[in-house]
Amino acid sequence: MDRTQDRTPRRSAARGRYTVGDERRARILDSAVEHFAERGFHASSLARIAKDVGITQGGLLHYFRSKEDLLVSVLEHSEAQDHERFFSHAPDSAVELFAVLVDLAAYNSARPGRTKMFNILAAEAGERGHPAHEHFVRRYRTVINYSLAPVQAAVDNGELKPDTDCEAIVTEVAAVMDGLQLQWALAPETYDMPGRLRTYLDRLLRSLTVDGSGLPETA
Amino acid sequence: MDRTQDRTPRRSAARGRYTVGDERRARILDSAVEHFAERGFHASSLARIAKDVGITQGGLLHYFRSKEDLLVSVLEHSEAQDHERFFSHAPDSAVELFAVLVDLAAYNSARPGRTKMFNILAAEAGERGHPAHEHFVRRYRTVINYSLAPVQAAVDNGELKPDTDCEAIVTEVAAVMDGLQLQWALAPETYDMPGRLRTYLDRLLRSLTVDGSGLPETA
């Protein structure tokens, strides 16, 4: 491990160095996910995160200027990944939205570190002064708005009942996903999170559609 | 503040001392709730919890032998309070169960410290080695079993549709309550948690009852 590279400013690095820097940055983010997942933000230590990557705390501070900066970077990075994988295309229907959410739940159950980190940070962020507070306030607003459009469209085109309270529905869907994730984290090997979400969304849809139809088998 | 009393063993204390000890014990539990709610288990410090009560860490250790012991005591204490207030009587019907849960949500929104603590500890407890892991595994089992009986009874007596998946329903209800609590904690002044839970339970009930009825106005 060449620790001298920790102190090489990225902006002055040659092309080859950028690659080393990017790779190290990615490994710091991965290590931070594991630490935040296990102990939360407050009890995580920059020194221990750095040690797991094989660098010094000073080396880590070359990439992220503080623990708060690292936290925000971890959250933005994983949000960007989710956006690219699941949310880059706006769903055209409630069925399509619900199918994407089941896929997301399946993906979340396959990456326990990231998902447990989400559970803890979302809970910690209830504290006004927490460095992720604003992130989570904004995140829920984004999730609600993203989900609201296709549900409202399904009401407008007569697929869902006209008296559907769209905002209540999408708030509830977000709550179910978070709540199932808490239960799942207690027994990730045996708890079928995407299956339970699918059961819920199928019943929800049956109660909302004008013709009583639920999620298609393929969704 | 008479700190000498910290070291008086409770079991040998005279009646009057018991009262002082009980009162101090209760204040330690209250202080611990605030600390766990703000920073979670790992980042909370026995010394700081003790300081807020006006005693030394040694004094605190006279009442609780470790931070783990304090955590388990806090959880058992608040579970016992909830049991007495909400769950000492087994509900006779799904309507009665749902009404109790709305009352619980209203109560939880009126005690932010306790509720935020629950959010964080439930999330942290996903980690297998966490001292509250077993508590939360057991707690969900208790919640599910408590809720399952009246829902199953409502199916058996023909109130709910015969194909109702009772276990899926009560798992989902627990998830919604936990998920709404996470959203509520981000803006407790403006987020109507019991109202949102009521809206959800009313719609859920309408989708399950044979006659399509929901929660009565008074519930």
Side-chain angles (χ1 to χ4, degrees), chain A residues 115-116 119 179-191 193, chain B residues 118 121-130 132-141 178:
Chain A
T115 304
K116 288 181 177 185
N119 286 354
L180 291 179
Q181 252 181 218
L182 282 176
Q183 294 180 31
W184 164 86
L186 289 167
E189 306 79 12
T190 56
Y191 194 95
M193 179 162 66
Chain B
F118 174 90
L121 295 180
E124 286 184 350
E127 207 52 41
R128 196 67 43 103
H130 193 283
H133 179 76
E134 290 307 321
H135 173 89
F136 278 97
V137 169
R138 210 170 42 237
R139 181 189 167 277
Y140 280 104
R141 205 177 301 134
D178 289 350

Side-chain angles (χ1 to χ4, degrees), chain A residues 37-40 42-43 116 118-128 130 132-133 136-137 140 144 165 167-172 174-180 182-183 185-189 191 196 199-200 203-204 207-208, chain B residues 37-40 42-43 116 118-128 130 132-133 136-137 140 144 165 167-172 174-180 182-183 185-189 191 196 199-200 203-204 207-208:
Chain A
E38 200 174 314
R39 303 173 65 80
H42 300 293
K116 288 181 177 185
F118 174 90
N119 286 354
I120 293 188
L121 295 180
E124 285 184 350
E127 207 52 42
R128 195 67 44 102
H130 194 283
H133 179 76
F136 277 97
V137 168
Y140 279 104
I144 299 291
D165 182 343
E167 204 261 345
I169 300 290
V170 299
T171 301
E172 170 192 317
V176 171
M177 294 187 73
D178 290 349
L180 291 179
L182 282 176
Q183 294 180 31
L186 289 167
E189 306 79 12
Y191 194 95
R196 285 176 184 270
T199 299
Y200 157 71
R203 184 160 32 71
L204 175 64
S207 77
L208 297 178
Chain B
E38 200 174 313
R39 303 172 66 79
H42 300 294
K116 289 181 177 185
F118 174 90
N119 287 354
I120 294 188
L121 295 180
E124 286 184 350
E127 207 52 41
R128 196 67 43 103
H130 193 283
H133 179 76
F136 278 97
V137 169
Y140 280 104
I144 300 292
D165 182 344
E167 205 262 344
I169 300 290
V170 299
T171 300
E172 170 192 317
V176 172
M177 293 187 73
D178 289 350
L180 291 178
L182 281 176
Q183 295 180 31
L186 288 166
E189 306 79 12
Y191 193 94
R196 285 177 184 270
T199 298
Y200 157 70
R203 183 160 34 70
L204 174 65
S207 77
L208 298 178

